[in-house]
């Protein structure tokens, strides 16, 4: 009988929507996440990332047991062993160098109430080095504070009173799903929606007009619109005269430019500015919503203050449906004294936007230990090569996380953290005024622990244990005391969100928390030419939020072979670059390989790519970005990065065409094909079982890959294409074009060259350690990929070696594991291509009896087998992926210089 429960909870990911969710659990396993229709704001909205998070929770790549690095290799250990080692290192560093030799790097991946206690732990140690500034919204908040004293945004529900909306650098379709129903409702009421963004994002579909402003020049668009409002006599004179200061200086600033000059600086047409100003004049109240991309410039405060001024000038401040709104203080509802900053004198801080440089330059004391939580800085911080160097030079790095990402690869201790679905907590939002409960939906996967529990256990190893080690409910009561003072109740919160005591319409009395009580207009520009262009690097790199992931929250299998960069049609033509071309994108800080996408109608001075891809996944766009801090707010000006683009230097394997034969949707090309694509190969996949015909001629294919499947290699009746495929494999070899057969493909390759296929006495299943033969040491493919790690097996058939074949890898249960026949035909019985997505499907289906061909073997593998396998899978997959990448690259190079078709 299926036991099914539905539990309300709150999404804690780094997103302003903070959606209310419903988690469906069957027999203790999470099976579905969906929006909660009873959430007062999000009302059932939830992005596509939510559904994919279920798979993330159970990914085979997820680390579910503590690990420490010994002699350069990860070793699974007990929690006591891991925490003992971490505590010992902390004590040693403090005794020898003081607490500031430890850097606590707490990121923005999760900002729940209990996360305050991470910082409190380090405060009890005496105060360690911490980051200051942010990689995200600090610039926006600090800039708006210059205008209003203390930034407060309109409640999103107040947008129901708007007659128009301006999305300024905001992309809710990809980053703020809870806002989409509000925007659609406004459009149904006839309200115009304007999108201001250098790039044409998915949110352009929500807008009536898209104004592609020049990157970093939003200030001039705001000044141009203000100039037209003044020319029309439509300014809010009462506000200017009674509610503000600096108005005359602002008017003088606007008057110092001609409209033509402002439009030219902003990179927009006068007709667009007139449309923009007309919207503010005729469709008031207008809600202006600022996005986070707007902050990513060194002088972003100029643009944000100018937009604030435009909101004030047009009469949109302090009125229902108006406002210039950007975000909310997500830690505001908690007792922030529990950061513990008052327990010690002020300690050293390092600039987060320049964290690599800051660590490298830190002295007296130098940084000897880094403790990372809720972040992946080696991937996400700018100038990531420098960040990597800084982490590598650090004696000991502790990483609390989920996956073996870029930062984990620099760690010495890995503490596997729970996801929000395995925790009890409270979550406020930086996108609205509701606080929601984070209810535990499932038990922790494997041996994962919440960071609350991690730090509780770690604290027991220090003298301050009594002050820190309290139960979760007691801590939440203290942390949420401000909520309780407003009438909130933690028990009631578990089933329904609580709205904090915040105004629907801030500054409704037109009084501002500034010394004068008045709004402060922008008086001058710190630099009249922000974001200067350089001919050597002609494009501004815009690393925008991905649609299907939040920053670097992904698995290695989630990565496309190469990042995609988007360039305008005109620029691509000028550079003689076509769609799909492999290109080099480079800046003064580094270079990456990418695939080019060409788009019409986009600005010609930008190059657009999605951020968050891992360096180890072949992405790592932050290898290009400049590490500097914004003038105001110590934010991270990623968009000050200027890049150039060129064809990737010609390689022998670039653009070669590879034919892939796929026998089952359950056995795709995975890591092997991805490695070929990353080298620049062009892949054509045929599925004979779906009716695709095999080619009669080799055409211009330079290589052949034959994948696995549940079919028997000797069963031509069930797979009538086999005889033709055998001919094709022989023809490729005769033409000295490389062939790779994987599992079923290896058996077919053996058969094609005279070997015999047969059924084993049982199923070989799981990761198995095999052994290279002496011949492997000289083989161009296997020798390039050694050492040989345990590799995934999933088959019941085997084969005898064809005449003249060379055995390269030998097994015990199944002796013939890898062989070469002829010059360049390779059979791999093991699944070197299996990535975590493939493996997750296989394990789930096999355990449930969902693969008929192997159902008879299901009971031979008890639950204990899978429990042990799950603990080891992240390391097994990591090693197998490395082996596959090297083998695939070496195999591709066999195509033969100058002799084979491209």
């Amino acid at each position: 009988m299926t036991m099914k429960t539905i539990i309300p909870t709150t999404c804690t990911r780094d997103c302003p929507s903070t959606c209310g969710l419903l988690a469906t659990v069957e027999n203790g396993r999470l099976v579905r996440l969906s929006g909660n229709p009873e959430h007062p704001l999000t009302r059932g909205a939830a992005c596509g990332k939510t559904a994919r998070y279920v798979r993330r929770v159970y990914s085979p790549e997820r680390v579910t047991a503590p690990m420490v690095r010994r002699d350069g290799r990860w070793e699974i250990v007990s929690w006591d062993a891991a925490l003992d080692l971490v505590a010992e290192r902390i004590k040693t560093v403090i005794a020898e160098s003081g607490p500031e030799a430890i850097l606590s790097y707490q990121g923005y991946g999760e900002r729940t109430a209990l996360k305050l206690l991470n910082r409190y732990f380090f405060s009890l140690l005496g105060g360690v080095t911490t980051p200051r500034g942010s990689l995200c919204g600090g610039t926006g908040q600090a800039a708006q504070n210059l205008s209003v004293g203390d930034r407060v945004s309109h409640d999103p529900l107040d947008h129901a009173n708007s007659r128009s909306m301006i999305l300024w650098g905001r992309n809710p379709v990809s980053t703020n799903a809870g806002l989409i129903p509000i925007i659609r409702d406004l459009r149904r009421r006839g309200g115009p929606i304007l999108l201001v963004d250098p790039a044409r994002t998915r949110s352009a579909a929500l807008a009536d007009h898209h104004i592609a402003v020049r990157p970093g020049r939003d200030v001039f668009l705001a000044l141009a619109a203000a100039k037209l409002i003044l020319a029309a006599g439509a300014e809010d004179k009462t506000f200017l005269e009674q509610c503000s200061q600096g108005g005359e200086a602002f008017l003088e600033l606007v008057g110092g430019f001609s409209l033509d000059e402002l439009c030219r600086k902003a990179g927009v047409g006068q007709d667009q500015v007139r449309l923009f100003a007309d919207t503010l004049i005729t469709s008031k109240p207008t809600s202006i919503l600022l996005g986070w991309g707007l902050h990513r410039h060194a002088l972003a405060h100029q643009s944000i203050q100018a937009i604030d001024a435009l909101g004030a000038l047009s009469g949109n401040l302090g009125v229902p449906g108006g406002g210039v709104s950007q975000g909310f203080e997500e830690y505001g509802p908690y007792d922030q004294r529990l950061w513990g900053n008052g327990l010690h004198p002020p300690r050293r801080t390092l600039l987060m936007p320049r964290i690599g440089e800051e660590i490298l330059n830190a002295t007296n004391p130098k940084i000897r230990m880094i403790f990372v939580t809720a972040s992946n800085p080696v991937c996400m911080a700018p100038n990531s090569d420098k960040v990597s160097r800084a982490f590598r030079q650090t004696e000991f790095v502790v990483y609390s996380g989920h996956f073996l990402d870029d930062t984990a690869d620099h760690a010495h201790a890995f503490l596997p953290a729970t996801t929000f679905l395995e925790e009890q907590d409270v979550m406020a939002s930086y996108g609205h005024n509701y606080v929601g409960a984070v209810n535990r939906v499932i038990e922790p996967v494997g041996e994962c622990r919440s960071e609350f529990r991690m730090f509780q256990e770690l604290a027991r190893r220090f003298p301050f244990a009594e002050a820190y080690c309290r139960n979760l409910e007691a801590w939440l009561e203290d942390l949420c005391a401000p909520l309780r003072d407003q009438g909130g109740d933690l028990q009631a919160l578990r089933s329904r969100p609580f709205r904090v005591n915040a105004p629907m319409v801030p500054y409704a009395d037109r009084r501002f928390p500034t010394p004068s009580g008045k709004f402060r207009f922008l008086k001058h520009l710190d630099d009249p030419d922000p974001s200067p262009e350089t001919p050597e690097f002609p494009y501004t790199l815009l690393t925008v939020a991905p649609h299907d992931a939040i920053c670097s929250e992904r698995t290695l299998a989630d990565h496309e072979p190469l990042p995609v960069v988007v360039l305008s049609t005109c620029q691509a033509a000028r550079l003689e670059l076509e769609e799909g071309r492999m290109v080099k994108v480079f800046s003064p800080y580094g270079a990456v390989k990418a695939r080019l996408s060409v788009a019409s109608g986009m600005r010609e001075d930008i190059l657009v790519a999605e951020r968050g891809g891992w360096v180890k996944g072949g992405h790592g766009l932050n290898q290009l970005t400049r590490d500097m801090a914004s003038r105001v707010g110590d934010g991270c000006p990623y968009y000050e990065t200027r890049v150039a683009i060129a064809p990737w230097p010609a390689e022998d394997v670039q653009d070669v065409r590879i034919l892939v034969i796929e026998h089952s949707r359950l056995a795709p090309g995975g890591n092997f094909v991805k490695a070929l694509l990353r080298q620049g190969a062009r892949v054509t996949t045929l599925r004979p079982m779906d009716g695709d015909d095999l080619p009669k001629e080799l055409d211009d294919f330079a290589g052949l890959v034959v994948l696995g499947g549940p079919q028997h290699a000797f069963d031509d009746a069930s797979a009538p294409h086999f005889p033709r495929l055998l001919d094709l494999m022989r023809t490729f070899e005769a033409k000295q074009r490389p062939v790779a057969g994987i599992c079923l493909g290896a058996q077919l390759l053996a058969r094609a060259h005279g070997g015999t296929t047969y059924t084993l006495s049982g199923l070989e299943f799981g990761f198995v350690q095999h052994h290279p033969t002496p011949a492997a040491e000289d083989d161009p493919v296997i020798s390039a990929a050694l050492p040989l790690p345990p590799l995934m097996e999933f088959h019941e058939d085997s084969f005898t070696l064809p005449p003249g074949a060379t055995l390269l890898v030998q097994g015990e249960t199944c002796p013939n594991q890898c062989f070469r026949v002829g010059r360049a035909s390779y059979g791999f019985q093991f699944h070197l291509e299996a990535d975590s997505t493939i493996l997750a499907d296989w394990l789930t289906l096999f355990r449930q009896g969902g693969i008929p061909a192997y159902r008879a073997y299901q009971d031979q593998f008890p639950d204990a087998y899978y429990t042990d396998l799950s603990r080891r899978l992240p390391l097994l997959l990591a090693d197998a992926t490395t082996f596959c990448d090297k083998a695939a690259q070496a195999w591709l190079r066999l195509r033969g210089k100058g002799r084979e078709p491209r």
Side-chain angles (χ1 to χ4, degrees), residues 772-805:
T773 66
E777 298 293 337
D778 297 321
D779 182 78
V781 172
I782 298 301
S783 66
L786 294 175
L788 189 71
L791 294 166
M792 180 65 189
E793 300 280 5
F794 195 4
H795 67 107
E796 61 175 348
D797 288 348
S798 186
F799 53 88
T800 62
L801 285 178

Side-chain angles (χ1 to χ4, degrees), residues 223-234 254 259 270 273-275 277 281:
L223 295 178
K227 192 173 190 73
L228 290 179
I229 289 172
L230 289 165
V254 173
L259 181 62
Q270 288 195 19
V273 178
R274 293 186 190 283
L275 167 72
I281 293 170

Side-chain angles (χ1 to χ4, degrees), residues 798-812:
S798 186
F799 53 88
T800 62
L801 285 178
T806 301
L807 185 64
L808 301 172
V809 176
Q810 190 168 29
E812 296 181 5

